[in-house]
Amino acid sequence: MSFPESLHAAYDVIVIGAGPAGLAAAATTAEAGLRTLLVDENSAPGGQIYRAITTSPLKNSSILGKDYEAGNDLVHTFEKSGADRLAGCTVWSLDRERVVGLSCGGEARLIKAERVIIATGAMERPFPIPGWTLPGVMTIGAGQTLLKSSGLIPSGRLALAGQGPLLWLYAAQILRAGGHIAAIFDTTPLANYISAALHLPGFIFSPYWTKGLGLIREVKRAVKIVTGVTRLEAQGKNKLQTLVWEAGSRTGSIDLDVLMLHQGVVPHVNLAMAAGIKHEWDAIQLCFRPVLDESGNSSIKGIMIAGDGAGIGGAESAAERGRLAAIDTVANLRPDALAQIPSRDNVRNRLAQTMRGRAFLDHLYRPSKVFRIPQDASTIVCRCEEITAGEIRASIAIGATGPNQLKAYRRTGMGPCQGRLCSLTVTELMADERGKSPEEIGYYRLRSPVKPISLAELASIPQDETAIKAVVRG
Amino acid sequence: MFKRATNHQEPAVQITVDGLPVTARRGDTVSAAILTAGCVEPYRYTAVNGTPRAPYCMMGVCFDCLVTIDGIGNRQGCLIPVSDGMVITRQNGKREIES
Amino acid sequence: MQTADVIIVGGGIHGCSTALHLTLRGLKPILIEKDYAGRHASGVNAGGVRQLMRHIAEIPLSIRSMDIWEKIQDLVEDDCGFDSHGQVLVAEDESELAPMRDRVAELNLRGFNHEELIDAEELRRLVPAVAESCPGGVVSRRDGAANPAQTTTAFRRMAERRGARIIEGVRVDTIKRDGGHWYVTAGSEVYSAPVLVNAAGAWGGKLAAILGEPVPLEVVAPMLMITSRVPTFIKPVVILRGRKLSFKQFENGTVMIGGGYLGRAYPDTNETDLDWTQLKNNARTVWDLFPIMREATIVRAWAGIEAKMPDDIPVLGPSRKHDGLFHQFGFSLHGFQLGPGTGDIMAELIATGNTNISLEAFRPDRFETADIGDKHEH
């Protein structure tokens, strides 16, 4: 894969990410006649939720479920829309002039757009427990990716730990695919059931209610569940061997080959932050999210954010938010084409429907503090640079005040993942330790390249590019 | 660490991992192929302390899936599909480029 | 109102070093920093600890600083990540080597022996990975590099421990002089002292102008890139003059690539722009000169906000307008190595009224015949 000859030097719209928000946004702007490019780092469209929707070896819906099939319509509509698509292409920079740095097949380009719609979705919240870096420990999302794209299930003894709808969905999928789960360790804090109960009425009328209960029942019939889990430790020499757990006063251990962790998803903010877009702390969802208007316009003119990257709302709302961003784009760049695409009011109404029940889920699956802020000093926080919670606390004690100052003491956030797997933990840990709010403590200052770019790729940028700037916070 | 849930008929793709022949399926990513092959563990050693690691997120954010593919180091194995004849080398500690 | 012996504006390496050295002379400084110590150029520069290729006027300063660098642990109880593997200026061809030969001869005549001309063989010994075609260069063997954020933080910490007051996250609003005292309003507080030091870096020009002593300072944003870890293949810092490059491999294997390519600075919002079309040229130079780096990946890039003077040397020493005012800014992309030494000299100057290092070349009024514009407003 490299850049096709047909690639234009500039586009009306560049959409970054081919999940539900990106597919819906790109299809809508292209249908309105705007020259649209959809860029995605995966080889097949679908994002995470509809991963491998066109290529999965699991051909019928008996394993992955009917909701997954909804991705087919999105891809189909996109393919008819006339938008260009670059698959297997990494976006490594975006600036306030809306110049997008792309690399593909060992080459790099800088391409400008009138509008950029960031649809880079969500990532799983870090789950820092002792031993989470051992081979054999991975996220439930990782397990589901392997299932969707290659039809793979874990071999050997498997346990799942954590909380959230994805845990139950994946457990059910593994069972339907003929897999076995030794145990599920549910970390949902018991107090969450009370705080969530206030939001129950909204949830009962949402589609999640019956589907969710059905899944949990399906799994509970076949798997041992330990509830109220308060501590997890993965042990092993060169790979996972044992999971030690505590649930209040109960304790136990279990020999395992694979442990999958999950405690919800958070917006994947790296690209938006590196572009200089303003973010704020979401005290309910416990994460940073971009400051946006109703259509998805960010603090930088011409850059919009749609889908879970704008704040977690799930796949169906992601598609609607993608359409809303696209409608705003068309209204600005080609208002005469508005008649050809869905009306703003219709999309808004559908969005409201898809958001029903969200508050209940947000409160029920709010992860507990002990799994967000590592209590054991030896727990690795920064996986790339192998920095522990104890080392970070020691740096705070001698003067590190925030994530950026911490870099003068420890190399946290300076490895290849650029803080994706440690930033929330570092922010919350420092806030907790210093008695401040996460908003006050802030986040790493992120910069392009948001993904590593090889020296060869950088050197391959054509000479004729005019002076083009990428924005970072100095 | 993983096995196939179905006997699906995707064509086989032949690759090598540290010189060992590995049969993958079209549509597998490099990481999926290595995790299924079983013959190459651990997946890699870190450059910082030389500790063993394997892919954690499989969606391009954790960078624990880094491998050398056809001589080019630090590729995200979880994002790159296998192709016939691909030569994959595990990254063991600081051996990111040959000196 | 809070009183002190000296008020320092700016918490970079220079402000923090001056604060520390003042405490060592028994004085009580207050340091006011609008962000946090080391937030800008001092925390994000390339970390070069270099005497090599300095302006003649800066050499005594640089040597005094080098003496401190070599005992940095004793001063700040932190190794600052300092290593001393030398710095090498590489000539890419014979035409670049000739002026180097002349310069080293001139330095020797003036009694400076830290720069040493080397032939192709010695160059290859010091920098085995450099392209075969390079005929030689200049080495300064005591030079090296340090971790800039770690260093600035260490100076800040030690200054505070020795009794300096460090006030961060507070911007200076007004400055008044009355009855031999400076009154500095910052945040909701007024600070007063007989002596004021302007160590405000890229913002030093603005401060000097407010104090009636404008200088033609340009605010710039030099860019740096860093690679993933690669096997150790180079010890000294390598610099080029023809094509712009500075190149340094750290102990952990990562390689820093710089050379003074400029992004764009926005000092009012603390933002900088990276210019990837320039960084591409930087990458090309590395590609040509170090074939071993061709498969390396760039993991991070950044730009810091710095001050640059038209003659590339700082504004350093007493004000020509006011008693009790000293300037210490405008280090023009190479102030990091000088930080420890200039702090020492500034403290000496403030405490004793004198220093044996000539600061004549750094006078703030040296530009008076030139056209002075406020260049940092874009």
Side-chain angles (χ1 to χ4, degrees), chain A residues 92-93 96 110 276 385 398 404-405 408-409 411 414 416 418 445 447-449 451-456 458-463 465-474, chain C residues 36 39-40 44 149-150 153 157 225 229 252 254 257 264 266 270-277 279-281 283-284 286-287 293-303:
Chain A
W92 48 269
S93 86
R96 63 182 120 183
L110 296 167
E385 299 293 331
I398 58 165
N404 296 299
Q405 292 91 323
Y409 297 79
R411 289 180 48 85
M414 296 172 82
Q418 303 203 338
R445 263 193 309 282
R447 316 163 150 101
S448 60
K451 285 243 170 163
I453 174 173
S454 75
L455 195 80
L458 185 52
S460 80
I461 293 175
Q463 284 290 8
E465 304 276 353
T466 48
I468 287 166
K469 317 286 181 186
V471 175
V472 299
R473 302 221 181 275
Chain C
Y36 59 82
R39 163 71 175 86
H40 296 289
V44 301
Q150 187 183 337
T153 305
R157 208 164 46 230
M225 297 188 283
R229 287 170 160 82
N252 68 10
T254 59
I257 301 170
R264 190 181 291 159
Y266 300 91
N270 285 350
E271 284 180 308
T272 54
D273 285 356
L274 293 182
D275 183 343
W276 284 100
T277 61
L279 288 173
K280 167 204 69 184
N281 295 332
R284 285 243 168 98
V286 176
W287 171 278
M293 290 293 295
R294 289 185 182 178
E295 301 303 343
T297 47
I298 306 295
V299 293
R300 285 179 288 122
W302 68 92

Side-chain angles (χ1 to χ4, degrees), chain C residues 7-22:
Chain C
I7 295 170
I8 301 163
V9 180
I13 180 72
H14 287 278
C16 291
S17 173
T18 296
L20 172 58
H21 283 100
L22 284 168

